[in-house]
Amino acid sequence: MNTQTPHPIQTLPLLTQQVNIALGDRSYGILIGSELFDCDASYIGLPAAACAVIVTNETVAPLYAQRLASALTPRYPAVHTVVLPDGEVYKTWESLNLIFDDLLGQGCDRKTVLFALGGGVVGDMTGFAAASYMRGVPFVQVPTTLLAQVDSSVGGKTAINHPLGKNMIGAFYQPQRVICDLDTLKTLPLRELSAGLAEVIKYGPIADMAFLDWIEANMDALMARDPQALAYAVKQSCEIKTHVVGQDERESGLRAILNFGHTFGHAIEAGMGYGQWLHGEAVGCGMVMAARLSESLGLVDAAFVARLTLLIQRAGLPTVAPVLDAQDNVGRYLALMRVDKKSEAGEIKFVLIDGPGQAVVRSAPDGVVARVIEASCIPA
Ligand code: NAD
Ligand code: GLY
């Protein structure tokens, strides 16, 4: 783990935790705690600029935009807010252009700092806008969903969707800082909390079985939004993610393990139509399918699959896969999965569990995958 301390943590609210991501001159800190929004110390050391722009959406803006703007006003001469439509279906060129329209319309220069206030959709789009506006301006992630705090705000993947595939257009571009104010999780709908838990659960089977044990023991507390349980889940998830990304920032190998459940999951999201199943719901079900595929290939036993399936159910997530095409369901899944970014020359690559706590990226015979898809679409 990176031990450098880029932030004067003693000036932050009591109990604030910090995880650092070691990426050379792109290193940054992830602050995790309560009341971080309003605390001036959360913003110490960020780049100076004439203008700060908060990018958020129509759901999050009335909840938190004014508080963030008030906190930024002493630091930046001009602070304004861009409000995007809410939803995965709006993770598009059109929404990205709304950000550019605002930045150009307001005369924002190349030092302008963008603040992504919201979940993973806002974070991914704001990051992509920051990567490309005037060939790159700094940005800060202020994630307000559990999913964004444990995963999408960390590691610099930014993207929009294309009708033919999820997150297909984007860039690797690291934020200057991630500010996880855990208090924002109090207003998160339960369905979104569950979706975030899918990405928390993910870290256990791929990297840390002790964390999986902890999640099992604390699932009721997590579902009840116990602040200590949530704080630990966010911190531990960020520790695991930063450890992986620190070794493989641009996913030339190891980082792909963070996509456990995503090959099936992205097919579900695209096949159902973006926004029908939440990303975390699709990943939860996708993890069950990937675990079954691992079992079919002799990598884990049935007890491991049952254990993971039960935990995903306890998180309130679906574990029966949707039928994407009444005529040719398997064909539709396979076609969608071939568009996955891990595919090479049309060969689908899956993140599989190669014994508890260890992941491997590999292909599988279409016939075996087909049987897993068929079995996964039938309620147990
Ligand atoms: P989201 O951004 O759509 O947010 C979920 C919903 O919660 C939205 O309606 C949002 O407006 C609302 N919301 C956000 N914060 C709230 C709060 N505090 N209180 C009340 N409502 C709130 O979805 P998400 O699950 O945060 O993110 C999913 C996206 O993240 C997907 O597009 C996925 O591809 C992406 N993702 C990216 C990475 C990455 O590494 N970049 C990793 C995982 C997921
Ligand atoms: N969410 C997967 C990754 O960041 O690589």
Side-chain angles (χ1 to χ4, degrees):
M1 275 325 119
N2 177 22
T3 51
Q4 60 181 296
T5 310
H7 200 87
I9 196 157
Q10 63 275 22
T11 60
L12 291 161
L14 201 66
L15 302 181
T16 303
Q17 305 186 80
Q18 178 166 333
V19 176
N20 298 317
I21 180 159
L23 294 169
D25 60 3
R26 295 178 307 291
S27 299
Y28 53 94
I30 303 158
L31 305 180
I32 302 163
S34 278
E35 297 173 9
L36 291 180
F37 258 178
D38 309 308
C39 177
D40 182 61
S42 300
Y43 310 97
I44 290 175
L46 290 176
C51 185
V53 178
I54 299 168
V55 182
T56 185
N57 71 25
E58 58 204 6
T59 304
V60 179
L63 294 169
Y64 301 113
Q66 187 51 52
R67 275 176 60 196
L68 182 57
S70 300
L72 296 178
T73 297
R75 292 192 169 268
Y76 297 97
V79 178
H80 69 270
T81 302
V82 181
V83 181
L84 302 175
D86 182 9
E88 184 74 38
V89 74
Y90 295 107
K91 198 175 166 183
T92 59
W93 277 119
E94 288 73 20
S95 299
L96 196 65
N97 254 328
L98 294 177
I99 305 175
F100 297 139
D101 289 348
D102 179 275
L103 296 174
L104 290 166
Q106 300 277 342
C108 293
D109 63 24
R110 65 193 324 174
K111 289 194 166 174
T112 300
V113 185
L114 306 190
F115 287 80
L117 175 69
V121 171
V122 163
D124 280 13
M125 279 198 294
T126 308
F128 191 26
S132 39
Y133 183 67
M134 294 197 177
R135 302 202 179 95
V137 294
F139 86 112
V140 176
Q141 289 274 15
V142 189
T144 62
T145 64
L146 181 62
L147 186 141
Q149 294 186 353
V150 301
D151 191 353
S152 64
S153 65
V154 173
K157 278 189 179 175
T158 75
I160 55 171
N161 297 329
H162 186 279
L164 294 180
K166 170 112 175 121
N167 291 337
M168 281 294 152
I169 320 293
F172 286 99
Y173 193 69
Q174 300 295 342
Q176 300 289 313
R177 183 167 301 160
V178 181
I179 301 171
C180 296
D181 190 327
L182 299 168
D183 297 339
T184 60
L185 302 181
K186 290 176 187 161
T187 57
L188 199 61
L190 182 60
R191 189 177 168 200
E192 300 291 350
L193 185 82
S194 291
L197 287 172
E199 302 279 17
V200 175
I201 292 169
K202 164 185 87 176
Y203 292 112
I206 62 167
D208 187 346
M209 287 304 284
F211 187 42
L212 192 72
D213 294 341
W214 180 90
I215 299 167
E216 284 177 328
N218 290 277
M219 181 52 78
D220 294 345
L222 289 166
M223 289 293 278
R225 301 177 207 232
D226 174 81
Q228 284 183 344
L230 286 171
Y232 182 78
V234 173
K235 169 140 188 305
Q236 192 60 21
S237 299
C238 289
E239 291 272 11
I240 296 170
K241 180 154 187 182
T242 55
H243 188 59
V244 172
V245 175
Q247 296 171 76
D248 181 22
E249 181 184 4
R250 296 176 74 91
E251 199 168 307
S252 49
L254 177 70
R255 183 168 179 168
I257 69 170
L258 298 173
N259 284 318
F260 176 50
H262 287 58
T263 313
F264 290 108
H266 283 173
I268 292 172
E269 282 188 89
M272 293 295 286
Y274 295 121
Q276 293 300 306
W277 279 44
L278 300 180
H279 175 72
E281 292 171 339
V283 167
C285 189
M287 287 193 288
V288 174
M289 297 171 86
R292 284 182 166 172
L293 183 56
S294 308
E295 183 195 357
S296 299
L297 297 169
L299 303 175
V300 291
D301 60 18
F304 180 83
V305 179
R307 178 183 174 187
L308 187 61
T309 305
L310 177 62
L311 187 59
I312 290 166
Q313 283 168 345
R314 287 181 62 207
L317 293 161
T319 54
V320 178
V323 173
L324 300 182
D325 185 324
Q327 263 70 51
D328 182 14
N329 190 40
V330 166
R332 179 79 176 128
Y333 266 93
L334 291 174
L336 286 164
M337 290 194 293
R338 283 204 177 87
V339 187
D340 188 84
K341 287 190 288 308
K342 291 185 296 303
S343 292
E344 286 172 18
E347 185 178 62
I348 306 166
K349 294 280 167 59
F350 297 92
V351 181
L352 301 176
I353 303 304
D354 190 11
Q358 196 156 313
V360 64
V361 182
R362 54 168 281 192
S363 57
D366 277 359
V368 179
V369 179
R371 280 193 292 281
V372 167
I373 293 167
E374 280 165 353
S376 299
C377 292
I378 300 164

